[in-house]
Amino acid sequence: MKTVAVMALSFAVACGGCLYSKHLEMRVQKIEKILIFLSQIKTAIEFTADNVEGIFSWLTTSCDFSSLPFVAICTAKMGDGVSFFASWSESLSKRENVVPLKKEDVALLLSFGSALGATDSAGQIQNCEMHEKLFKERLSAAVSEKNTLSKPARVVGILTGAIVLILFL
């Protein structure tokens, strides 16, 4: 029984390091997708001058933002008659919709949504450009964090798991 428990603990510790490494990689991928999302919104505003509901409807049908579940949830809520900002806020409030983003990333998304649709086209384009710049900074920090911590986290997790196995067996 002790052997099984030690092996399970060792495996859990090793997996913990690998999961943290994957979490860092996923954050980089999500921020990259958010930058594409912001660029698509800016382009739609520039060329169609459509309202927010129309833009989101177009984005969910023509682009693949499945890795950003809050986009589809927001669009669905707007389809049910909920206002954009309420839909946006609610879709970002559920942790499972924004994993592995940090709280600061989500706050930046909320900031973006608070100004989207609130001004004329030029103001909305400026909002998109400003948030693109801010997310590029977040991406740079996320890539740096991934490069610094991803491999060591994986190695430390596996080594710690091996040490637990050796010490207790």
Side-chain angles (χ1 to χ4, degrees):
M1 189 65 158
K2 176 185 169 188
T3 305
V4 173
V6 169
M7 289 177 76
L9 177 64
S10 175
F11 181 73
V13 170
C15 285
C18 292
L19 285 174
Y20 183 71
S21 175
K22 185 68 176 170
H23 180 83
L24 293 171
E25 293 168 12
M26 286 174 52
R27 179 168 176 249
V28 168
Q29 292 170 354
K30 285 230 182 190
I31 293 175
E32 288 172 340
K33 197 66 164 181
I34 288 169
L35 283 166
I36 293 168
F37 171 71
L38 294 174
S39 176
Q40 291 283 356
I41 289 176
K42 183 175 78 171
T43 301
I45 291 168
E46 286 176 333
F47 294 108
T48 66
D50 202 358
N51 63 13
V52 177
E53 291 82 6
I55 291 171
F56 269 68
S57 178
W58 170 74
L59 285 173
T60 54
T61 57
S62 65
C63 302
D64 179 25
F65 290 112
S66 58
S67 62
L68 303 175
F70 55 86
V71 175
I73 292 169
C74 179
T75 304
K77 287 186 179 302
M78 284 189 295
D80 293 339
V82 180
S83 72
F84 167 71
F85 187 69
S87 300
W88 185 248
S89 299
E90 192 174 330
S91 67
L92 289 171
S93 68
K94 294 194 173 31
R95 183 70 188 144
E96 64 269 11
N97 295 339
V98 293
V99 170
L101 299 174
K102 291 185 174 184
K103 288 179 183 178
E104 297 85 7
D105 302 331
V106 176
L108 201 52
L109 284 169
L110 284 168
S111 166
F112 169 73
S114 69
L116 189 64
T119 62
D120 63 349
S121 293
Q124 291 184 63
I125 290 169
Q126 282 183 326
N127 180 42
C128 291
E129 289 171 347
M130 178 185 72
H131 283 86
E132 279 180 319
K133 181 181 177 224
L134 293 171
F135 269 108
K136 283 178 184 175
E137 292 171 4
R138 302 290 303 160
L139 177 62
S140 176
V143 167
S144 175
E145 187 176 18
K146 181 192 94 155
N147 291 340
T148 304
L149 299 175
S150 183
K151 190 172 182 179
R154 188 177 307 122
V155 171
V156 167
I158 292 170
L159 287 177
T160 305
I163 290 170
V164 167
L165 195 60
I166 292 168
L167 288 176
F168 291 103
L169 283 184

